[in-house]
Amino acid sequence: MKLKLDANGNVVVQDGKPVYVHDDGKEVPFDAAAAVQKIQGLNGEAKAHREAKEAAEAKLQAFAGIDDPAAAAKAIELMKNVDEGKLVAAGKVEEIKLAAKKAAEEQVAAANKAHADELARTKTELDAITGNLYSEMIGGSFNRSKLITDKFAIPVDLVQARFGQAFKVEAGKIVAYDGAGNKIFSRTRPGDLADFDEALETLVDQYPYKDQILKGSGASGGGAQQGGGGGQKQTGNLGGTREERAAAFAAQYPELAKG
């Protein structure tokens, strides 16, 4: 699943929501607010399941020592017709205790399995929703970036392909990491983490091929050629339309276009 982009590389929005294209080609707007609400709801359900399990286990403690519910039921039926003295004489008291213990253990095991299955399903749903939410947050930041619009000579999708892995979502906020795995802090606000554009600018400054991806860098003019017959065309400023610049960049630096 990926964001739907228009011809200019911008995210397509429907009813104020970014549109995602699923693997089968179906286009669906992603409602981030609803996703967050769903996550909160699933967390509440998981808590309710946990509390219900704990309550069930507490109740089952009263049946500790009962192993076989069928035997326990049979013993209860016998109690209606046989007095306690005869049961003791027949050695049935211990049999009833063992049956009751087995029944309680089986009920606890069944409750634990059902709880574990529910938690696994809930975690899978949460992971999927969280992944979509984080993808929209980071992808949206690339598409809304003024730095990319003003200074990059390649489309936003190529910028994200190369630098997107440096950004993560932690505690609901986007955090950038440099090549050494350290968080990128602001140079204008000491002690604070860099915002998206400042972090991206720092990453680009450390990038060895930055002259090929920024506007106004490289050769002196867009499409300039070397002197002499048969000289190769230089990428320079990657002049031309946005699509032509993207194609030229991908052709000359395929390893960069792949991220």
Side-chain angles (χ1 to χ4, degrees):
M1 185 174 70
K2 60 183 180 180
L3 281 168
K4 181 179 180 180
L5 306 177
D6 60 21
N8 295 321
N10 298 316
V11 174
V12 175
V13 177
Q14 179 180 332
D15 296 329
K17 306 177 185 70
V19 176
Y20 279 85
V21 181
H22 289 257
D23 294 338
D24 60 0
K26 184 177 181 180
E27 299 178 3
V28 180
F30 179 74
D31 190 338
V36 171
Q37 185 176 6
K38 178 64 175 178
I39 291 173
Q40 293 173 344
L42 290 173
N43 284 334
E45 290 179 9
K47 180 181 178 182
H49 287 309
R50 175 177 55 78
E51 292 174 348
K53 171 181 174 293
E54 293 172 352
E57 290 176 342
K59 290 181 179 179
L60 288 174
Q61 290 300 317
F63 299 94
I66 298 177
D67 294 324
D68 189 343
K74 181 179 179 180
I76 293 173
E77 185 64 26
L78 287 174
M79 286 294 292
K80 297 177 181 178
N81 303 305
V82 183
D83 62 48
E84 185 176 353
K86 292 181 180 179
L87 283 174
V88 173
K92 296 295 184 180
V93 173
E94 188 63 26
E95 182 180 336
I96 294 174
K97 288 182 179 180
L98 292 175
K101 178 181 178 182
K102 182 178 179 181
E105 290 176 346
E106 288 176 347
Q107 291 181 38
V108 171
N112 285 337
K113 184 179 184 303
H115 178 63
D117 292 343
E118 181 63 25
L119 283 179
R121 287 193 295 271
T122 300
K123 183 179 185 303
T124 299
E125 293 176 358
L126 283 173
D127 288 346
I129 293 172
T130 301
N132 288 338
L133 179 61
Y134 287 0
S135 177
E136 195 282 331
M137 289 177 66
I138 294 175
S141 294
F142 274 93
N143 282 285
R144 293 186 294 269
S145 172
K146 189 174 186 301
L147 177 69
I148 295 176
T149 300
D150 293 344
K151 296 189 177 182
F152 278 75
I154 59 174
V156 65
D157 55 346
L158 290 182
V159 180
Q160 183 175 357
R162 180 59 189 84
F163 299 102
Q165 72 275 11
F167 294 88
K168 299 180 181 180
V169 177
E170 299 177 358
K173 296 181 179 180
I174 296 179
V175 180
Y177 288 81
D178 61 19
N182 300 312
K183 291 182 178 180
I184 299 177
F185 285 85
S186 174
R187 288 172 289 185
T188 59
R189 295 173 287 107
D192 291 339
L193 291 172
D195 60 21
F196 182 87
D197 273 4
E198 185 178 4
L200 179 59
E201 185 174 16
T202 298
L203 292 169
V204 173
D205 285 342
Q206 299 170 356
Y207 186 54
Y209 301 101
K210 66 179 181 179
D211 288 343
Q212 279 74 42
I213 65 175
L214 295 176
K215 296 177 181 177
S217 58
S220 59
Q225 295 189 2
Q226 293 178 345
Q232 278 190 321
K233 180 183 290 185
Q234 304 230 355
T235 56
N237 294 337
L238 298 177
T241 66
R242 187 183 188 90
E243 290 75 12
E244 290 171 343
R245 295 199 304 271
F249 177 79
Q252 185 171 6
Y253 302 99
E255 73 283 3
L256 304 183
K258 293 178 181 178

